Each structure stands twice: as structure tokens, then as C-alpha cells.
Amino acid sequence: ENAERWKTLIADLSQEAPQQVAYRPEEWEPLLLSILHGQAAGEEEPGNLSVVRPAGRVRTIRKWWYAAAALLIMAAGAALVMMLGREQDHRPAVAGTGEQQDIVPGRNQAVLTLADGRKIILDSAANGLVAQQGNASVVKLDGGQLLYKTAGEAAPETLFNTMTTPKGGQYKLLLPDGTAVWLNAASSITYPAAFSGARRLVTITGEAYFEVAKDASQPFLVRTGATEVEVLGTHFNINSYDDEPAMAATLLEGSVRVTYGPHQSMLKPGQQARVQQPSIRVVNDVDVDQVVAWKNGFFQFDRTDIRTVMRQLSRWYDVEVVYEGEMPRDRFGGRLPRDARLSEVLRALEQTQVHFRIEGKKIIVMP
């Protein structure tokens, strides 16, 4: 009888959440069986790693077997199955997070500053031509994208534009050479409306992901603070927020050269250069999926401490974070969708020893 119940549970889990959960249907069975034996599938080691899974928004499951599965998972102390959805109950599990106080996630929004100082609020601008910069037409596309199209001879002077995202904003930019740039929240990029000369130079603050168009005759250079990243054509991510402990350049494809003062490092795919005075440290076998999860619509953690988690939430939900008392040493793993409301994310994190209280746009973190 128990065997039949588990078969029914596995079948229903697979049917209720196809392609929306972190575990594929064929993975439910070993996960649940491992829970029965006291250890969740995929656990790296005993300890205080708290796993938030699965990612995605699925409707509230009211059948008894989902509650039972969740209880078993929590009892095992290894994996938390979170069913996040717009239809789920808004229980005040997080203090002060009644529905009227809930905070919505960020969205596609940015401000474009033209060479003459004019500012265009992109999220409210109509699709189509938004500006003309020399021989470049600046076009707003659907889905939070801005495209530069060049025609004719280059302008006699270089016209620099800047795209800036606020907290709670993100945007995609297609540069005149075909390079695609994803700009994370509270970030900026300054670039010419048309590339000319021996190299393609852009400057960023915050975080950006690049897919650089190949052009061996004109290397692509990204400058952030005192650090430069040079490429010919490649995919890489740069995180240079001022409140992070180090600037991190992570390579997904191709090769890049990272320069910081007199120090230089060549990266291979899967490596990350962490720039922190006075030198560059190269880290091997980085989880690149975690690094670019923001660009793919997720928060993704891997033994991540609470302060690092909250810095990401602060930028995306445009909230202030305050800490009360000594923070527990719990670390978090797994992923959650960035389109979840803040209370849903905090409720998932509260499965550990960390608790939260929302006061307007302020999040108080408590042990």
C-alpha cells in the first residue's frame, strides 16, 4: 500500500508541475526515497545548507501528499520544496507582510541619457525610433530592449550615450556592432553611438552580461573603475557593485584578459577573476549558471550567506536592509524566480533560522 501511495505521489508531482520545477519528473522518486532514508538527494554534506526549491510559480497544492512531502523534506533538514504561485495563500508568515504591504519584483526600466544631455525614460517611451545620434538610429523594441542601427558614414565626432537602470530595474541593449548587453539593477553603461578607431570601449558600473560580436580588427574593452576586461568575441559577466567585496569577471565562452594596474590574467571558460586590492585572484570551476542566473530570471544561490542574498534582494526589490541581532550562519542553496513577490522569497528563506519583518520599503533581518 505504501509503495502504491509513493507511485501516486510521484505521478501527481510530475503532472502538477511539468517543466516548472528544479527537479525533473524522473528525479522526484530518488529525492523522495532519499528523504525516507533520512538524507535528501543531492545534499553535499551535513550542516546548515538550506535549499530553496523548486524554482518556478506553480499553483497551490492542497492535496495531503504535498503537505506530507514538504513535512518530510523539512524534517530531513536538507531540501525545501517551495510551491510559489500567484494563487497561493498570502499567509503572514513574514511579520508585517500582509498583502497590502507586499513588494512587487523589479521590471524592465531604464533611463537613456543622450550625448546632448537629454534623458529618455525607456519604460514609458513608445516602441520605435526614440532618438537619432549621428548616423545611428536608436530604436526601442518589445520586451525591454534598445537597439542601435547605423547607416552611412560615421559621424565626425563621437557621441556617447549612457543607459542607467534604477534599483528594481533591468534592460537589454544591442550596441551598434551587434554586441548584446544585459544590464542588471542599479547599473549603468556608457558607450559610443557608433564605434570607430582601433577598439570598442564601454564603461560600466554595477553588473552587466555581455555577448560580444566578434571583430578581430577591433577588440572590445570593458572598463569598470580601475579594471579593464579585453575580448575579441566572447560571453562574460562583470559584477562591480560598490557594496560587493570584490569586482568579479566571469567567463562563459571564449577568452578575456583582465587588467588591474600592473596585474593581468587570461581567463578560460568557467574561470572568474576577482579583483581586490592589490591584485587579481583567479578562481577555477565557477558555477556560471549561478553567476548569470539574474539574466535568466532567477535568484540562484550555492552556499550563499544571508548578507550576500540580501544585497541581491535589496537591488531587485528596491528596499533597504537592516540587521537586528547576531545573524545565524545558515547558508542558502537552490533558486527562486525573480518575478516572485518579496514576501514569497522571504517566506522561502525563513525555513532556516533567519526571520524577517517588513516596514514599508525596509526589511529587518532577525535571527
Side-chain angles (χ1 to χ4, degrees), residues 223-257:
R223 182 175 294 160
T224 176
T227 303
E228 291 185 350
V229 178
E230 183 179 359
V231 303
L232 293 177
T234 189
H235 299 180
F236 62 98
N237 190 86
I238 296 180
N239 184 324
S240 62
Y241 288 115
D242 290 339
D243 59 354
E244 293 295 340
M247 193 289 292
T250 307
L251 183 64
L252 285 78
E253 178 183 306
S255 64
V256 301
R257 178 188 295 111

Side-chain angles (χ1 to χ4, degrees), residues 134-367:
N135 67 331
S137 299
V138 186
V139 181
K140 180 187 174 183
L141 306 177
D142 288 332
Q145 298 185 67
L146 193 70
L147 168 67
Y148 279 71
K149 297 194 297 185
T150 57
E153 296 182 359
E157 62 175 327
T158 302
L159 302 176
F160 286 94
N161 291 182
T162 298
M163 177 184 286
T164 306
T165 55
K167 280 190 171 184
Q170 63 180 12
Y171 223 83
K172 182 180 178 181
L173 171 66
L174 300 173
L175 293 171
D177 66 335
T179 292
V181 184
W182 285 259
L183 204 59
N184 203 352
S187 303
S188 72
I189 178 170
T190 299
Y191 52 92
F195 288 111
S196 60
R199 60 184 185 176
R200 297 167 284 168
L201 174 65
V202 302
T203 303
I204 72 162
T205 65
E207 185 167 25
Y209 173 79
F210 292 83
E211 292 185 354
V212 177
K214 294 183 179 180
D215 185 349
S217 66
Q218 198 177 32
F220 194 94
L221 190 68
V222 180
R223 182 175 294 160
T224 176
T227 303
E228 291 185 350
V229 178
E230 183 179 359
V231 303
L232 293 177
T234 189
H235 299 180
F236 62 98
N237 190 86
I238 296 180
N239 184 324
S240 62
Y241 288 115
D242 290 339
D243 59 354
E244 293 295 340
M247 193 289 292
T250 307
L251 183 64
L252 285 78
E253 178 183 306
S255 64
V256 301
R257 178 188 295 111
V258 179
T259 302
Y260 178 67
H263 306 283
Q264 286 190 345
S265 293
M266 291 292 296
L267 296 186
K268 299 177 181 178
Q271 290 184 323
Q272 181 181 86
R274 296 181 182 174
V275 178
Q276 199 169 18
Q277 291 185 345
S279 62
I280 302 173
R281 181 167 67 94
V282 175
V283 180
N284 297 314
D285 300 322
V286 172
D287 184 351
V288 295
D289 289 337
Q290 178 190 358
V291 172
V292 300
W294 67 268
K295 172 241 178 194
N296 297 323
F298 293 97
F299 297 108
Q300 186 162 324
F301 309 122
D302 181 9
R303 302 192 66 82
T304 307
D305 65 89
I306 185 61
R307 292 181 183 270
T308 300
V309 170
M310 295 309 296
R311 286 196 296 270
Q312 293 187 34
L313 299 188
S314 172
R315 290 189 285 261
W316 185 235
Y317 292 95
D318 188 13
V319 293
E320 178 187 359
V321 177
V322 176
Y323 298 89
E324 287 186 357
E326 183 177 354
M327 289 299 102
R329 302 180 66 181
D330 295 57
R331 290 181 175 266
F332 302 87
R335 67 179 188 173
L336 290 167
R338 294 224 309 177
D339 64 351
R341 289 178 176 268
L342 179 59
S343 64
E344 296 175 317
V345 175
L346 298 184
R347 189 176 296 127
L349 299 176
E350 277 199 329
Q351 303 305 315
T352 65
Q353 299 303 309
V354 180
H355 299 88
F356 306 92
R357 186 172 72 251
I358 296 180
E359 295 180 356
K361 297 284 284 185
K362 180 185 296 184
I363 309 301
I364 293 89
V365 187
M366 306 166 290

